[in-house]
């Protein structure tokens, strides 16, 4: 007899290392997304005492291959589940490599309050000491928690809770690979209990002006990232400026680059390409007109967003406007 006091949580699986399998447990090599969602759920002790689970396999990809098509499927499915009164919360299992991008994208297009938690693992499901089962246990507990409502998508990894806008994968290995460098963790999980340290006071969910429909109607505007470094020339930027609608500079320091690169970006901006300056440093805030004259060059300052998140916001912004001042407004607020 099902326990009516337990929440019902939808688990949407997309692949990743959390569903990864090795040929042998001592091997470093593995295939991400090899195992189906039922296998992941069966490996979590005590899950049945936390929630009733409704599982769906949305995709089975390593998250380096996450795509606009899967994002669209995921966003539509989450939207439908948010409107289904029999569902209390939603968990998305995801590869860790682009988890922060999917979380941020969903924070801007899902205009609902229901708890939504993204989770992954750094060790494959078949590895000794796999972190997936503990992370998934925490994710289901968090998705069933009333305090998780209205905060936008949350990411839970290694007992830490992160807001979608803040979270970054900061290491390529090790179970402690996620952090929120600018504003800090949202909270922590202690067994099945969530403890929040802060509110999410950045724009997300119902306050967002962005929609999947507008993005699809605009054909997912192409935005590319150019990584700055010593000696960066103009040719890559000149090449992109005839192909992309937006370019994000992963700039040195405060979103800066060589004179040659900045001049090429200024030419691109004059040709109608939206140019956003972000920082490759991993934290901090890129403001307007500090070392670079954004007003003269027609650039947009990327604020606190990492280059990969600036790329997503610019893509969504370009679905609504081409105007650099309006786009700057999005970067100031989101
Ligand atoms: C992936 O992102 O799918 C592979 C890496 C991981 O999940 O940790």
């Amino acid at each position: 007899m099902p326990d009516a006091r337990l929440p019902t949580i939808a688990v949407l699986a997309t692949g990743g290392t959390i569903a990864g399998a090795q040929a042998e447990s001592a091997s470093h090599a593995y295939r991400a997304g090899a195992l189906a969602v039922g296998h992941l759920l069966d490996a979590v002790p005590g899950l049945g005492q936390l929630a009733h689970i409704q599982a769906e396999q949305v995709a089975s990809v390593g998250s380096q291959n996450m795509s606009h098509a899967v994002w669209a499927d995921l966003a539509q499915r989450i939207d439908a589940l948010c409107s289904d009164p029999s569902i209390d919360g939603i968990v998305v299992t995801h590869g860790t490599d682009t988890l922060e991008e999917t979380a941020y994208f969903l924070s801007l297009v899902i205009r609902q309050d229901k708890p939504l938690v993204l989770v992954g693992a750094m060790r494959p499901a078949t590895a000794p000491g796999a972190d997936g089962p503990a992370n998934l246990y925490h994710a289901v507990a968090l998705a069933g928690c009333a305090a998780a409502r209205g905060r936008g998508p949350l990411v839970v990894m290694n007992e830490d809770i992160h807001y979608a806008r803040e979270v970054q994968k900061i290491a390529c290995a090790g179970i402690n690979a996620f952090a929120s460098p600018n504003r800090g963790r949202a909270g922590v999980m202690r067994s099945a209990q969530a403890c929040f340290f802060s509110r999410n006071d950045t724009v997300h969910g119902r306050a967002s002006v962005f929609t999947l429909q507008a993005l699809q109607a605009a054909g997912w505007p192409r935005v590319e990232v150019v990584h700055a470094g010593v000696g960066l020339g103009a040719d890559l930027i000149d090449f992109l400026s005839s192909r992309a609608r937006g370019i994000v500079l992963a700039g040195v320091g405060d979103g800066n680059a060589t004179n040659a690169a900045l001049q090429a970006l200024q030419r691109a901006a004059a040709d109608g390409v939206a140019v956003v300056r972000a920082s490759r440093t991993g934290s901090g805030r890129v403001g307007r007109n500090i070392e670079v004259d954004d007003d003269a060059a027609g650039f947009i300052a990327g604020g606190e967003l990492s280059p990969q998140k600036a790329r997503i916001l610019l893509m969504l912004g370009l679905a609504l406007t081409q105007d650099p001042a309006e786009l700057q407004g999005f970067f100031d607020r989101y």
Side-chain angles (χ1 to χ4, degrees):
M1 176 85 179
D3 185 341
R5 292 165 305 179
L6 293 182
T8 298
I9 304 300
V11 177
L12 306 182
T14 69
T17 294
I18 192 169
Q22 306 146 290
E24 298 161 28
S25 57
S27 163
H28 280 307
Y30 69 97
R31 191 161 67 82
L35 303 174
V37 61
H39 188 106
L40 310 191
L41 296 167
D42 288 347
V44 185
L47 201 60
Q49 279 116 60
L50 273 186
H52 304 297
I53 303 292
Q54 178 181 307
E56 297 175 35
Q57 193 77 44
V58 175
S60 296
V61 293
S63 77
Q64 71 280 3
N65 283 318
M66 187 50 61
S67 62
H68 294 162
V70 177
W71 271 4
D73 289 348
L74 204 51
Q76 280 160 346
R77 192 65 195 117
I78 291 168
D79 225 18
L81 290 164
C82 285
S83 303
D84 178 344
S86 72
I87 299 294
D88 296 294
I90 300 152
V91 169
V92 176
T93 65
H94 198 290
T96 61
D97 288 349
T98 61
L99 190 150
E100 70 207 59
E101 294 180 50
T102 299
Y104 185 57
F105 171 73
L106 294 174
S107 81
L108 299 179
V109 300
I110 302 292
R111 295 151 106 181
Q112 307 259 15
D113 289 335
K114 210 169 260 186
L116 169 60
V117 182
L118 286 88
V119 65
M122 292 299 292
R123 295 178 182 150
T126 52
D131 51 333
N135 289 345
L136 188 49
Y137 181 89
H138 290 141
V140 169
L142 184 58
C145 169
R149 282 186 72 85
R151 293 178 185 267
L154 298 165
V155 170
V156 69
M157 290 289 293
N158 198 33
E159 301 185 10
D160 289 334
I161 308 169
H162 301 273
Y163 291 122
R165 179 180 180 274
E166 309 307 321
V167 67
Q168 282 184 42
K169 186 173 183 179
I170 56 159
C172 64
I175 59 174
N176 194 17
F178 282 76
S180 292
N182 274 337
R183 299 187 180 210
R185 293 177 295 184
V188 291
M189 294 301 296
R190 287 291 172 258
S191 299
Q193 303 298 317
C195 169
F196 282 98
F197 299 151
S198 63
R199 294 157 55 92
N200 182 4
D201 52 12
T202 58
V203 179
H204 61 275
R206 290 189 190 279
S208 170
V209 296
F210 303 113
T211 62
L212 176 65
Q213 292 71 23
L215 190 57
Q216 288 175 314
W220 300 79
R222 180 174 173 188
V223 177
E224 300 292 351
V225 177
V226 173
H227 200 95
V230 171
L232 177 65
D235 47 1
L236 179 59
I237 295 162
D238 288 338
F239 175 82
L240 286 176
S241 67
S242 60
R243 290 166 174 79
R245 293 199 36 215
I247 297 174
V248 174
L249 175 69
V252 297
D254 192 22
N256 217 335
T258 57
N259 291 342
L262 290 177
Q263 283 156 13
L265 288 168
Q266 186 161 355
R267 285 196 295 278
D271 287 345
V273 178
V275 174
V276 173
R277 293 188 307 106
S279 174
R280 68 176 198 176
T281 59
S283 67
R285 184 173 194 286
V286 174
R288 281 190 75 78
N289 301 321
I290 295 175
E291 289 184 83
V292 175
D293 189 344
D294 294 302
D295 291 346
F299 296 160
I300 296 152
E304 293 170 34
L305 295 183
S306 64
Q308 55 272 30
K309 285 184 181 160
R311 179 169 177 252
I312 293 166
L313 182 59
L314 185 54
M315 181 178 69
L316 285 160
L318 284 167
L320 302 184
T321 181
Q322 299 264 105
D323 177 16
E326 279 186 66
L327 292 167
Q328 181 66 67
F330 294 145
F331 279 85
D332 292 342
R333 292 196 301 280
Y334 284 80

